[in-house]
Amino acid sequence: MVEVNFSNELIKEFIYSMYRKEVLLNLKGVVLTEEDRKTLHDKRDFVNGLSETELADIRSWILNKLKLLESQQK
C-alpha cells in the first residue's frame, strides 16, 4: 500500500465536512437558520475537541479499511 499521511487536521476536516453535508442535506429552507448554525458550531466544537488518542484511533481505522479494500482488489 502507498504510504499515506492522514494529519490530524485532515481527519478533523473530513469529519466536519460530513457533519456539514448532513446539516445541508437536512435544510428545511434555502438559508441556514440559527438552529442550523448552532448545530454546525456544536459539531465543529466536537471535532476540535477530539483527543490525540481519538484521532490516532480514527487514523488507524481509516488505514485498516484502506488496506482491506486494497487486499480485496487483488
Side-chain angles (χ1 to χ4, degrees):
M1 186 170 125
V2 174
E3 186 64 33
V4 181
N5 179 17
F6 293 107
S7 69
N8 288 353
E9 291 309 310
L10 181 63
I11 292 171
K12 288 179 183 180
E13 179 57 34
F14 175 76
I15 294 169
Y16 182 62
S17 69
M18 296 305 292
Y19 285 138
R20 202 169 42 238
K21 182 177 180 180
E22 175 188 358
V23 168
L24 293 174
L25 287 174
N26 291 321
L27 278 179
K28 303 283 188 281
V30 178
V31 296
L32 288 175
T33 64
E34 196 56 41
E35 183 180 334
D36 296 329
R37 284 188 177 83
K38 182 183 179 326
T39 299
L40 280 175
H41 286 283
D42 291 345
K43 301 287 187 180
R44 183 198 60 214
D45 293 343
F46 167 77
V47 170
N48 286 335
L50 291 170
S51 70
E52 289 291 325
T53 303
E54 290 168 322
L55 289 167
D57 287 345
I58 293 167
R59 183 179 299 103
S60 176
W61 181 84
I62 291 169
L63 289 171
N64 288 338
K65 290 297 180 185
L66 288 173
K67 287 176 186 174
L68 177 64
L69 287 171
E70 182 181 53
S71 69
Q72 290 174 346
Q73 295 297 317
K74 290 183 178 179

